[in-house]
Amino acid sequence: MPPLNPVSAPERPLLGTMKRFLPYLWPRNARELRVRIVVAMILVLISKVVQVYGAPFALQGAIDGMASGSRDGLWLVVALVAGYAAARLGTVLFDNLRNAVFEKVGQDASRRLASDVFRHLHRLSLRFHLERRTGAVTKVVERGTKSIDTMLYFLLFNIAPTILELTLVLGIFGTRFGSWLVIGTVAMVVVYIAFTRWVTDWRSKLRERMNDLDTGAVAHAVDSLLNFETVKYFNAEAREAERYDAAMTSYMKAAVTSENSLAWLNIGQAVITNLMLGAGMALVVFGWSSGQFSAGDVVLVSTLLSQLFRPLDMLGWVYRTIRQGVIDMGSMFDLIDTPAEVTDAATAAPLHVERGRVRFENVEFGYDPERQILKGIDLDIPAGATVAVVGPSGAGKSTLARLMYRFYDVTGGRITIDGQDIREVTQQSLRAAIGIVPQDTVLFNDTIGYNIAYGREDAMPEDIADAARGAAIAGFIQALPDGFDTRVGERGLKLSGGEKQRVAIARTLVKNPPILILDEATSALDSRTEADIQATLEAIERGRTTIVIAHRLSTIVHADSIVVLESGRVVEQGSHAELLRLGGLYAEMWTRQAQESDEGEDLAAE
């Protein structure tokens, strides 16, 4: 049984959540969908009129005709029985026509909601996606978008028709059987609704906990499978299975409690409705005994109440479904309401790149207020120049690339391209002007050709082939049985690290941007492949403003200028030769890497 003091007010506001999705029910600039809704409601009205006035009264007339004992009206009784069957058939016919007319409305509402959520997720900041589990987010979106179709259907075709049917039934009871039957029916409906809401609110708490456990279990499973290689590296299959089993055990216990609570709800509802059915029929039977009512009236009351109980029984399920829909949609609307950390200014204009000069002017930034990463960076990268950024791990090299793309906004100073503050231009135009070969290349689970063509939406097959040659991967692709149609697997796991990075280089070549960022672009390549690609990279750098973030100093000796970062500050700047003569941090890093390279060659010779 439910607790004596269940929570009467759900955490998710029912009316507030319903108000959020009502625009999806009556969409703007969608005349066809609105017409479908109107037609569906007309079919609902016809169905209820036939159900209330057709079948019960036809059956009543047939029973009264048979009870009279006269055989003269045989054909009238047969006609009434046929009318009863036709009315029941008509109810089913109109209900199914209504479903067919409305189906497109529900599916379109789900589509638009899912699209809105998907677009918003892509507008959210990198910080949001780094802090949330992908599996949990996708589960929330899946449940939320599915719930809207169900909620629209129940609101239009269960709650509203049930209110209409109750009104019609009360009218019949009042005119034919008196006020006592009306009062009893209204009292039964009120008690039924109150009981259903009381128990359902209690069950909603159980259901919400069950959903949280389900989301956690799915999120862990997805996280574990995405890190399949790591699990194998550390021989942790059994450990992962135990953790997943523990999560599923918690979900199982919550699910059992939730489903058992349903039995109490069903029992209570059955007691209320059957008490009313027995009392109503008894009232008419007493009237029949005094000659006030006919035998057919007993059948009429029984039929009308039984028909009313069916949607009332559904009403309990509908209320539970709507409460669950509110929980699911509330979680999804929380995602929609999550503000984007980086947004376009109201006056943002498209970025116009004429020459491609990039400047960092006293730039300060920290992922957290307590941990400052960049501490007043000043860089002037002339148009068409290649500037390399080097330094120890954690110096802030890759952070510069993230700020260039406006994954985050600077906390101090500004970044400009051709004198335009990147915070004052649209993000779309900014990112269209910049190409990047990232250190950690992640590919879509599609073909090699698709991943290369992803660099530019209108890329042609010849553009893809040229880019593959430029990235020194064309020979590898041609040797594959399916060529460019070869699938790369989840996150590109079917390719080696070097092959993935060459695909990333080809993807950037397809984009052909005026500003280029190479973030450890050859870090996963062997020396021979690196030498081949390095020549290609140097070729594509010509005529573009290029920022090379590098750990391997041998790859940036050709740069026009080399910037050395340490602890978020520029400590040295100059050409390769100038920095060696300076004898500072760069010269120390160069010497250390040269020694490591010599030791590696000696070991290889042995």
Side-chain angles (χ1 to χ4, degrees):
M1 283 292 291
L4 296 177
N5 296 307
V7 178
S8 58
E11 292 183 4
R12 300 282 184 186
L14 177 61
L15 294 179
T17 304
M18 290 171 60
K19 185 178 179 181
R20 290 288 301 270
F21 82 81
L22 284 179
Y24 295 95
L25 170 62
W26 195 255
R28 297 179 181 178
N29 304 320
R31 182 178 179 182
E32 178 195 351
L33 298 179
R34 293 186 174 187
V35 169
R36 283 177 175 271
I37 294 173
V38 173
V39 172
M41 295 308 297
I42 292 174
L43 290 172
V44 168
L45 178 62
I46 295 174
S47 173
K48 284 303 175 184
V49 169
V50 170
Q51 182 178 353
V52 173
Y53 289 103
F57 281 97
L59 185 59
Q60 180 213 24
I63 296 299
D64 285 341
M66 295 173 66
S68 67
S70 173
R71 303 293 190 272
D72 296 336
L74 173 62
W75 292 109
L76 176 60
V77 173
V78 171
L80 288 171
V81 171
Y84 171 74
R88 288 176 59 87
L89 175 62
T91 300
V92 175
L93 175 64
F94 289 125
D95 284 348
N96 282 275
L97 287 175
R98 170 205 73 193
N99 293 344
V101 170
F102 183 76
E103 182 62 26
K104 185 175 180 179
V105 178
Q107 292 296 333
D108 186 77
S110 296
R111 175 193 62 80
R112 286 182 288 111
L113 180 59
S115 296
D116 288 349
V117 177
F118 187 76
R119 290 190 186 95
H120 183 71
L121 286 173
H122 276 290
R123 285 195 295 267
L124 293 178
S125 66
L126 179 62
R127 191 191 309 272
F128 171 87
H129 290 281
L130 292 177
E131 293 176 352
R132 294 292 293 266
R133 286 188 171 186
T134 304
V137 172
T138 55
K139 192 69 174 180
V140 168
V141 174
E142 176 189 354
R143 284 200 296 249
T145 51
K146 283 182 178 179
S147 66
I148 187 170
D149 183 37
T150 304
M151 292 182 71
L152 289 177
Y153 181 88
F154 284 149
L155 285 174
L156 288 178
F157 303 139
N158 191 280
I159 293 180
T162 299
I163 295 173
L164 174 61
E165 183 175 357
L166 177 61
T167 303
L168 296 176
V169 169
L170 292 177
I172 294 172
F173 285 174
T175 55
R176 294 180 65 93
F177 304 106
S179 59
W180 283 109
L181 192 55
V182 173
I183 293 172
T185 303
V186 171
M188 181 272 297
V189 172
V190 170
V191 171
Y192 183 95
I193 292 175
F195 174 79
T196 299
R197 180 175 180 180
W198 175 54
V199 179
T200 302
D201 285 343
W202 167 58
R203 294 192 69 245
S204 294
K205 290 293 183 183
L206 300 176
R207 183 76 182 184
E208 190 166 10
R209 170 169 169 73
M210 187 177 72
N211 278 349
D212 290 341
L213 293 171
D214 181 36
T215 298
V218 172
H220 173 71
V222 171
D223 195 29
S224 179
L225 293 174
L226 287 176
N227 290 280
F228 172 81
E229 290 182 81
T230 303
V231 174
K232 291 289 186 184
Y233 290 152
F234 294 95
N235 196 29
E237 295 91 338
R239 190 191 321 163
E240 290 296 315
E242 289 174 2
R243 288 183 60 193
Y244 182 69
D245 184 66
M248 290 304 298
T249 300
S250 298
Y251 170 75
M252 177 199 70
K253 292 178 181 178
V256 169
T257 303
S258 177
E259 291 304 315
N260 287 345
S261 67
L262 179 60
W264 294 110
L265 179 60
N266 290 336
I267 291 171
Q269 290 173 336
V271 169
I272 295 171
T273 54
N274 284 283
L275 282 175
M276 180 59 206
L277 179 62
M281 292 181 67
L283 180 65
V284 178
V285 168
F286 278 115
W288 167 79
S289 66
S290 62
Q292 183 180 1
F293 304 130
S294 67
D297 286 334
V298 178
V299 176
L300 177 64
V301 170
S302 173
T303 305
L304 287 174
L305 285 176
S306 296
Q307 289 182 168
L308 182 61
F309 292 160
R310 280 197 296 271
L312 279 179
D313 287 340
M314 286 288 293
L315 188 62
W317 180 50
V318 167
Y319 181 71
R320 294 193 303 271
T321 304
I322 289 178
R323 287 297 307 129
Q324 181 57 42
V326 169
I327 293 171
D328 293 339
M329 294 184 67
S331 298
M332 185 191 58
F333 284 134
D334 286 345
L335 289 179
I336 295 179
D337 293 338
T338 301
E341 183 178 342
V342 178
T343 58
D344 287 343
T347 57
L351 174 68
H352 295 288
V353 181
E354 296 179 358
R355 301 180 63 238
R357 182 183 182 184
V358 178
R359 294 194 64 187
F360 288 74
E361 301 176 10
N362 195 29
V363 169
E364 297 180 355
F365 175 75
Y367 296 103
D368 297 306
E370 298 81 11
R371 181 170 173 250
Q372 195 78 352
I373 302 297
L374 301 181
K375 306 168 184 177
I377 297 293
D378 282 304
L379 291 178
D380 189 354
I381 305 173
T386 296
V387 173
V389 181
V390 300
S393 297
K397 303 186 296 297
S398 294
T399 300
L400 296 178
R402 290 179 171 182
L403 293 177
M404 282 281 293
Y405 263 92
R406 282 199 72 197
F407 290 159
Y408 304 92
D409 274 335
V410 298
T411 55
R414 67 173 191 160
I415 302 172
T416 65
I417 297 176
D418 286 340
Q420 303 161 82
D421 191 328
I422 62 173
R423 291 172 298 184
E424 298 174 359
V425 300
T426 62
Q427 296 177 66
Q428 183 177 7
S429 63
L430 170 67
R431 292 166 187 160
I434 305 173
I436 187 170
V437 180
Q439 178 179 1
D440 184 17
T441 300
V442 178
L443 303 181
F444 291 98
N445 189 2
D446 209 298
T447 65
I448 291 179
Y450 173 85
N451 277 280
I452 294 176
Y454 200 79
R456 193 176 76 244
E457 188 174 5
D458 59 350
M460 303 300 292
E462 53 270 23
D463 299 325
I464 299 172
D466 290 342
R469 284 191 292 271
I473 197 175
F476 166 76
I477 296 174
Q478 291 169 359
L480 296 172
D482 295 326
F484 283 98
D485 293 328
T486 302
R487 300 193 72 86
V488 302
E490 186 79 27
R491 297 182 298 133
L493 290 178
K494 290 185 178 180
L495 303 181
S496 69
E499 290 159 357
K500 285 198 297 183
Q501 209 146 17
R502 282 181 284 172
V503 170
I505 294 170
R507 186 164 56 189
T508 302
L509 289 173
V510 167
K511 186 176 184 179
N512 193 26
I515 299 172
L516 183 63
I517 299 175
L518 304 177
D519 187 359
E520 306 279 7
T522 60
S523 61
L525 306 180
D526 57 79
S527 300
R528 181 175 179 180
T529 306
E530 180 185 41
D532 294 338
I533 293 182
Q534 194 61 41
T536 303
L537 292 177
E538 292 178 19
I540 66 173
E541 289 170 13
R542 299 191 188 102
R544 307 174 197 268
T545 304
T546 305
I547 301 174
V548 182
I549 299 169
H551 170 72
R552 199 175 303 174
L553 302 185
S554 60
T555 62
I556 49 92
V557 293
H558 67 286
D560 300 311
S561 178
I562 300 173
V563 177
V564 183
L565 295 186
E566 185 177 30
S567 301
R569 290 186 172 88
V570 177
V571 293
E572 296 175 4
Q573 186 169 355
S575 66
H576 171 70
E578 291 171 346
L579 292 177
L580 287 181
R581 286 196 297 269
L582 187 62
L585 178 59
Y586 180 83
E588 178 186 340
M589 294 169 61
W590 176 268
T591 302
R592 185 184 304 115
Q593 289 191 13
Q595 290 175 347
E596 292 172 354
S597 177
D598 292 340
E599 291 173 0
E601 291 178 0
D602 292 341
L603 289 173
E606 294 176 0

